[in-house]
């Protein structure tokens, strides 16, 4: 059996590396401004990341439903073109803003800065940001949120965590979603939990089904939103 040739791309070979560093530096600065502003208004902000179909909107809907009598909540929903998620969330009488990113496959701090200007910050306690469905570049763009959640569904297969280490390494909470489908998918949930803990020993890992509500309380406790 012959060895598979591997081409390792080094930093200096990436064509727009200088541009990218500049973009990331600007992003960092605006993210800090966002966080300062949120702190000034005593608002907790949570960045929810994950692939398309992993359950980001369902998690936010369930959380909003559960917490809306306790906190004044708003949702900033990121998506390339649609307003489906913001509409879903607003059915729970939670104020929501859609950010359509166009060509961009992630939200950045500048988009969040614009969205914050549309919100009545005096009258909010909690903001959920639903990031664009993507497990790669949202990891690089701090939005100014206080906590980062990554949701992953068992339907994404058994290698999904080890193939996206960066985003999981940045998470405070990792939710393994759709565990009710694990048997049908032939996926070992415990193996996913193990991978998550290996990639990020600091994160809380919760097994959940946002369809049935299993794991929701545990997730909200990890975010210190429930006692
Ligand atoms: Mg969604
Ligand atoms: Zn992107």
């Amino acid at each position: 059996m012959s060895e598979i040739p591997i081409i390792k791309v080094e930093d200096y070979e990436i064509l727009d590396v200088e541009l990218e560093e500049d973009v990331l530096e600007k992003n960092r600065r605006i993210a800090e401004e966002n966080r300062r502003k949120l702190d000034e208004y005593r608002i907790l902000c949570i960045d929810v990341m994950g692939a398309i179909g992993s359950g980001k909107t369902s998690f936010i809907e369930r959380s909003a439903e559960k917490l809306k009598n306790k906190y004044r909540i708003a949702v900033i929903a990121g998506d390339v073109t649609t307003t489906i998620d913001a509409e879903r969330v607003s059915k729970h009488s939670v104020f929501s803003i859609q950010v359509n990113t166009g060509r961009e496959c992630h939200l950045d701090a500048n988009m969040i800065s614009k969205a914050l200007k549309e919100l009545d910050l005096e009258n909010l306690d909690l903001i959920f940001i639903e990031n664009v469905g993507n497990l790669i570049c949202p990891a690089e763009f701090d939005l100014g949120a206080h906590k980062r959640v990554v949701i992953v569904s068992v339907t994404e297969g058994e290698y999904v965590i080890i193939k996206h280490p960066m985003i999981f390494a940045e998470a405070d909470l990792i939710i393994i979603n759709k565990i009710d489908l694990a048997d049908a998918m032939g996926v070992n949930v415990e193996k996913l939990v193990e991978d998550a803990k290996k990639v990020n020993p600091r994160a809380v890992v919760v097994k959940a089904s946002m369809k049935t509500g299993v794991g929701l309380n545990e997730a909200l406790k990890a975010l210190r939103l429930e006692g």
Side-chain angles (χ1 to χ4, degrees):
M1 215 171 52
S2 60
E3 284 257 320
I4 297 172
I6 301 172
I7 296 170
K8 285 194 176 150
V9 179
E10 304 288 344
D11 271 351
Y12 62 82
E13 292 177 306
I14 298 171
L15 294 178
D16 59 350
V17 65
E18 272 174 39
L19 175 74
E20 195 179 325
E21 265 169 23
D22 189 44
V23 166
L24 288 177
E25 184 46 43
K26 258 185 209 143
N27 184 78
R28 245 188 303 274
R29 198 168 35 79
I30 301 171
E32 284 310 323
E33 278 168 27
N34 290 347
R35 199 153 22 236
R36 221 174 303 129
K37 190 172 195 183
L38 291 161
D39 288 344
E40 187 188 315
Y41 287 95
R42 295 168 197 276
I43 297 168
L44 182 74
C45 181
I46 297 169
D47 180 6
V48 181
M49 302 177 286
I52 293 171
S54 58
K56 298 184 295 300
T57 315
S58 299
F59 167 65
I60 293 171
E61 281 183 288
R62 285 249 179 214
S63 302
E65 194 55 45
K66 176 107 197 180
L67 300 173
K68 69 184 180 190
N69 297 323
K70 194 168 167 187
Y71 305 104
R72 297 164 297 174
I73 305 172
V75 174
I76 301 171
D79 192 81
V80 176
T81 55
T82 81
T83 55
I84 297 167
D85 296 338
E87 282 162 24
R88 269 175 67 182
V89 172
S90 67
K91 287 197 185 102
H92 301 266
S93 36
V94 170
F95 187 76
S96 54
I97 291 185
Q98 185 75 54
V99 178
N100 283 140
T101 58
R103 275 158 32 114
E104 291 298 328
C105 48
H106 56 269
L107 289 172
D108 65 31
N110 198 38
M111 298 173 193
I112 296 306
S113 166
K114 282 186 186 166
L116 291 178
K117 287 185 186 123
E118 302 297 318
L119 292 172
D120 177 13
L121 300 179
E122 291 282 4
N123 291 304
L124 284 176
D125 307 305
L126 177 60
I127 296 175
F128 286 102
I129 299 172
E130 177 172 347
N131 217 312
V132 178
N134 177 353
L135 281 174
I136 314 269
C137 44
E140 285 200 274
F141 288 84
D142 181 2
L143 302 180
H146 301 93
K147 302 228 160 147
R148 295 180 117 184
V149 179
V150 180
I151 303 189
V152 62
S153 147
V154 300
T155 59
E156 291 167 62
E158 60 181 316
Y159 301 117
V160 61
I161 294 175
I162 52 172
K163 283 191 175 184
H164 303 93
M166 280 190 18
I167 201 160
F168 289 96
E170 296 290 332
D172 299 290
L173 168 65
I174 296 169
I175 299 175
I176 317 269
N177 195 22
K178 306 192 192 177
I179 54 167
D180 49 317
L181 299 179
D183 283 347
M185 295 298 299
V187 168
N188 181 348
V189 174
E190 294 311 321
K191 171 72 170 47
L192 285 175
V193 172
E194 229 174 78
D195 287 349
K197 288 190 168 158
K198 217 178 286 165
V199 170
N200 184 344
R202 185 184 57 86
V204 177
V205 183
V206 173
K207 294 178 270 186
S209 166
M210 289 305 148
K211 195 169 125 202
T212 64
V214 167
L216 180 70
N217 278 352
E218 209 187 321
L220 295 179
K221 262 184 209 163
L223 296 169
R224 305 219 177 102
L225 293 169
E226 281 276 77

